[in-house]
Amino acid sequence: MRIAIIGAGPGGLYTAALVKRLRPGCRIDVWEAGAPDQTFGFGVVFSEGALGGIEAADPQLFARLEAACAQWSRIDVHHRGQVMRNGGYRFSAIGRRVLLSMLRTRCTELGVTVRYGTRAPEAALLAGTYDLVVAADGVNSSTREAHREEFGTEGGTRGSRYLWLGTDRTFTALTFAVAETEFGPMHAHAYPYAPGLSTFIAEVDDHVREAAGFSDRDAGTPGGGRDDEGTADVDRIAGFFAGVLEGHRLRTNRSRWARFSVVRNRRWSLGNIALLGDSAHTTHFSIGSGTRLAMEDGLSLALAVDAHGAVPDALTAYEAERRPDVESMQRTARISQEWFEELDRYTDLGLEAFNAHLVTRSGRLTQEDMPSWSPDRVELIRDRFARADSLLRGAAAR
Ligand SMILES: Cc1cc2nc3c(=O)[nH]c(=O)nc-3n(C[C@H](O)[C@H](O)[C@H](O)COP(=O)(O)OP(=O)(O)OC[C@H]3O[C@@H](n4cnc5c(N)ncnc54)[C@H](O)[C@@H]3O)c2cc1C
């Protein structure tokens, strides 16, 4: 089988590595428009369930990821100079650059070719020469945009603007902070992902942004465009959150004011072209799940390709397995996003009530409440990959 993958983000690379492990005879070609070590953003959070799926599918990759992840167990809510600490959670996070580098290494070890710095030919062209084309080309997917009607694409940008930043303060919890500025409230989500490094996402309403005189350029998404747009506002943001940052600096990495893009598709495949990850669906970053969902899509698609000889059957099985989880997460994410959009309804509450509203905003209290693979499915995943490995070892010995 010949598979073309458009995009070497977490979704594309993980899919390539897993299909190659299950079907070593497959020819897999991956195209990535960017350079190998060039990416947007900082750290991304993983839930416990996400790492469980990776452990079952690829214990080697899991061990490397686990060793590189920062871990913590609290959500801290900062409000009007006070902090409420909520324990009993299990979070881990990793730098996006490190995650991509590990996935790239795994692909190289398994013999997958990734062409960096090269835009993929159009999916419709690839569909004529490859058995399967995977469009893992992100939130602005040109594959999806070329066939919006056929995929039944819905959504668009909405809500307040955010800036994806980093800081050299090592937070010790998933931290939410509100800064009540003279222009109105701003809020930030922060969490650690490596020693001396944390993600810091600042969000602001349009009327506050205008009053504060922040840049009104809308990047649409954090990737692409000029590097310095939005960065001029960063020192002022650091000033507004000085208490939470404890004097540490904010850093930028292709950081530009953007609105969150909602993406939904009535169908995820068209002939032998499949959407995967952000090209198929997005979830607001306040529930930190997009990377995990993209990788879980990759796992599901790899299993489906292995189980079904015929591509149409594999694509039907892939979508049937993934859609319920994804839609459930999208519902949760929408509620979470709306809560933050209406933040000024809650800011006059006392710390305890504010904290309770914030941590229960989506109705799901813990990451364990989030949908993930059932124990039976994890067992099956483990078996399938272990069997593929032993077949490979047998063939190598002969
Ligand atoms: C502010 C913010 C915070 C976030 N925080 C988290 C978090 O904490 N946890 C989490 O799990 N997720 C988080 N996410 C979401 C996460 O970044 C995405 O869901 C994830 O990157 C999706 O992976 P992907 O592989 O589908 O797409 P991407 O990572 O976007 O990768 C797509 C790739 O395709 C390439 N590409 C596009 N078109 C072409 C083409 N024609 N030819 C070749 N290459 C192409 C792009 O260069 C890119 O490298 C966050 C997102 C934002 C915006």
Side-chain angles (χ1 to χ4, degrees):
M1 186 185 266
R2 298 188 55 183
I3 302 180
I5 299 185
I6 307 176
L13 289 176
Y14 192 52
T15 306
L18 293 185
V19 173
K20 195 72 180 168
R21 285 194 58 219
L22 288 170
R23 293 278 185 114
C26 254
R27 155 116 195 235
I28 302 178
D29 294 319
V30 185
W31 285 264
E32 169 52 51
D37 269 317
Q38 208 180 49
T39 192
F40 59 87
F42 291 89
V44 291
V45 182
F46 277 130
S47 72
E48 210 50 33
L51 289 177
I54 296 172
E55 182 181 19
D58 193 341
Q60 234 173 303
L61 175 65
F62 172 76
R64 294 175 195 172
L65 283 177
E66 204 187 26
C69 274
Q71 284 167 342
W72 70 95
S73 58
R74 282 192 342 264
I75 297 180
D76 288 358
V77 176
H78 292 242
H79 185 43
R80 297 195 169 155
Q82 294 177 291
V83 187
M84 189 106 181
R85 303 190 194 285
N86 307 271
Y89 297 88
R90 278 185 298 169
F91 292 104
S92 34
I94 191 167
R96 188 176 147 90
R97 200 185 294 262
V98 174
L99 170 67
L100 290 175
S101 151
M102 285 183 177
L103 290 169
R104 190 165 67 237
T105 302
R106 202 68 188 109
C107 281
T108 307
E109 287 167 356
L110 294 161
V112 173
T113 318
V114 183
R115 295 171 205 182
Y116 282 95
T118 315
R119 277 191 75 79
E122 280 184 21
L125 277 178
L126 292 170
T129 44
Y130 285 82
D131 300 295
L132 172 62
V133 180
V134 181
D137 47 355
V139 64
N140 290 327
S141 168
S142 52
T143 310
R144 183 194 65 229
E145 291 306 301
H147 303 280
R148 270 185 86 87
E149 251 174 53
E150 294 99 315
F151 284 119
T153 305
E154 293 164 358
T157 55
R158 58 163 284 179
S160 40
R161 305 263 183 108
Y162 68 86
L163 203 50
W164 193 354
L165 302 166
T167 170
D168 45 15
R169 174 174 175 201
T170 313
F171 283 93
T172 55
L174 174 56
T175 303
F176 291 102
V178 182
E180 290 182 89
T181 74
E182 58 191 298
F183 311 108
M186 292 184 65
H187 64 277
H189 319 233
Y191 50 83
Y193 65 91
L197 292 171
S198 299
T199 288
F200 191 95
I201 304 170
E203 234 186 316
V204 61
D205 239 356
D206 274 342
H207 67 270
V208 178
R209 182 186 53 73
E210 276 164 30
F214 286 147
S215 163
D216 66 353
R217 297 287 298 263
D218 189 347
T221 69
R226 280 191 13 223
D227 289 0
D228 55 349
E229 280 165 9
T231 58
D233 301 328
V234 170
D235 289 346
R236 292 179 64 210
I237 294 171
F240 291 139
F241 289 98
V244 180
L245 287 168
E246 295 180 347
H248 288 264
R249 284 185 320 123
L250 287 176
R251 297 157 173 245
T252 57
N253 177 21
R254 293 165 74 181
S255 306
R256 305 168 63 210
W257 288 111
R259 284 183 215 280
F260 175 69
S261 290
V262 178
V263 175
R264 285 195 203 89
N265 287 281
R266 279 200 299 282
R267 44 185 305 185
W268 294 358
S269 64
L270 183 63
N272 60 345
I273 304 171
L275 300 178
L276 182 141
D278 273 11
S279 71
H281 48 73
T282 56
T283 48
H284 191 247
F285 49 80
S286 59
I287 67 160
S289 294
T291 306
R292 158 207 155 146
L293 290 176
M295 292 176 71
E296 290 187 341
D297 284 358
L299 174 50
S300 177
L301 183 60
L303 291 166
V305 164
D306 184 45
H308 301 269
V311 167
D313 294 345
L315 296 184
T316 304
Y318 155 65
E319 186 169 337
E321 177 167 76
R322 295 300 298 142
R323 193 176 271 284
D325 267 11
V326 164
E327 289 186 348
S328 167
M329 291 301 285
Q330 286 187 309
R331 281 192 293 276
T332 302
R334 187 173 46 77
I335 297 167
S336 177
Q337 179 176 9
E338 283 169 0
W339 193 92
F340 282 108
E341 281 168 15
E342 293 171 355
L343 186 71
D344 40 5
R345 285 177 51 190
Y346 306 100
T347 44
D348 281 337
L349 295 173
L351 177 65
E352 249 177 67
F354 180 79
N355 175 74
H357 269 277
L358 197 157
V359 296
T360 61
R361 68 194 181 281
S362 63
R364 282 182 168 137
L365 280 170
T366 68
Q367 291 276 311
E368 284 72 33
D369 292 337
M370 304 286 190
S372 64
W373 310 99
S374 69
D376 286 354
R377 188 72 174 138
V378 168
E379 216 31 63
L380 189 136
I381 294 169
R382 204 184 304 282
D383 276 3
R384 290 272 288 280
F385 281 93
R387 228 176 315 136
D389 280 349
S390 81
L391 280 175
L392 198 61
R393 274 195 300 273
R398 278 197 297 276

